[in-house]
Amino acid sequence: MTVASSTAMTYLVTGGAGFIGSHLTDALLARGDSVVVLDDLSTGSEDNLAGHDTPRLRFVRGSVLDPALVDELTGRCDAVVHLAAAVGVKLIVERPLSSFLTNVRGAEHVIEAARRHDRPVLLASTSEIYGKNSGGPLNESSDRVLGATSVARWSYSTAKAVEEILAFGYHREYGLPTTVVRLFNTVGPRQSPAYGMVIPRLVRQAVAREPLSVYGDGSQRRCFTHVADAVEALLLLLHHPAAVGGVFNVGGAEETSIRDLATRIVRRAGSDSRIDTISFDDAYGPGFEDMERRLPDTTKLRELTGWRPQRSLDDILDATISEVRAEQLPALA
Ligand code: NAD
């Protein structure tokens, strides 16, 4: 399914040099829109945008924590997609304060600038919103179940909740057209392995024929979304009149335990790696908490837009394995 743009527009994509942001930028440029990327390259890379040689793409190295810059760029664009954030369990656990402040203040600057210039905003939130709620498919009204504030992981969930509350509040009180998407584990090419994302990490270990490190006992269950499916959902929601003021889960349909995932990665990579389990305390430090199951209910998005994930878990794994092999080719030459 390709989503065509009826009238070419200019989008400000914060975090557009990151994993999801660069794929969204590809898609917007492909359909004829223009994109201004604002990114401080803290976890993103200009390489992610290197495939484009067009005046319709402008890259600005800067921070969403700079309100004057955010204001200026917002005024030059027709709509904003806010993806810039401190992301990844490892980063959040290692740098909880700066991550929290980046996410809360960055969102506040972006939404406030959008209000001043009356621009629609699509804001990326997360399945971490649901915290430890493991009670079956999670819909947008499911409860948030969080641990103690002293557990660093929940600061990310809380920061994203504050971002959502800002988006809802600015919509209700100022009429600002805001839409929130809750992305579940999104995977695919260009995702950094450095911040605790499980598939990039396990695939690199399998391709290098090193032991795969499964955290916890591996019985925790997750669904993964191919980034191309996630981007399609964002495009469908952008400017959908009935999406304004709403919140939508975006997630894959195929559930797997992390242990089965590791076995599958070893098999699909043609590897002979063994699978080790590492306690959460050893992986992330004492007191880390995880949830047993996180399964999205995407009925709301499907009923509004017809969206369904098109790529299987094997598609996701094969794409990641191919990318990791291609990265390693120069090293082997
Ligand atoms: P990413 O780290 O690749 O992208 C984040 C981008 O934001 C990076 O390019 C980074 O350099 C940039 N950034 C960070 N701080 C910034 C700042 N102060 N100013 C400007 N740019 C800054 O991660 P991603 O997976 O592409 O995440 C994009 C968005 O999607 C985030 O908001 C994240 O919370 C959300 N999300 C991602 C997932 C996932 O599974 N990947 C799941 C849920 C939600």
Side-chain angles (χ1 to χ4, degrees), residues 13-23 37-46 48 59-66 70 82-88 91-92 98 101-103 106 123-128 156 160 163 181-188 190-192 195 197 224-225 227 234 250 294:
V13 179
T14 71
F19 162 53
I20 298 171
S22 64
H23 285 281
V37 165
L38 173 63
D39 200 300
D40 69 354
L41 302 183
S42 50
T43 56
S45 165
E46 270 191 274
N48 289 338
F59 173 71
V60 178
R61 183 170 186 173
S63 176
V64 289
L65 299 175
D66 178 346
V70 171
H82 181 49
L83 295 165
V87 183
L91 180 67
I92 306 300
S98 67
L101 293 176
T102 295
N103 293 351
L123 180 123
S125 184
T126 169
S127 57
E128 284 282 315
Y156 176 66
K160 286 287 182 179
E163 293 189 39
V181 289
R182 290 185 184 149
L183 301 166
F184 284 64
N185 298 64
T186 306
V187 193
R190 303 179 199 153
Q191 185 169 37
S192 166
Y195 301 101
M197 308 302 191
F224 295 92
T225 324
V227 64
L234 300 183
V250 176
R294 188 174 277 169

Side-chain angles (χ1 to χ4, degrees), residues 1 62 76-77 95 98-99 124 145 183 205 213 219 244 269 289:
M1 186 180 1
R76 290 167 187 254
C77 295
R95 302 178 56 196
S98 67
S99 300
V145 181
L183 301 166
Q205 291 171 329
S213 41
S219 64
V244 169
E289 293 183 68

Side-chain angles (χ1 to χ4, degrees), residues 1 11 29 71 93 124 134 152 169 189 223 234 244 257 268 291 305 326:
M1 186 180 1
Y11 290 88
L29 292 172
D71 186 77
V93 167
S134 297
C223 279
L234 300 183
V244 169
S257 74
R268 294 198 81 79
M291 64 295 306
T305 67

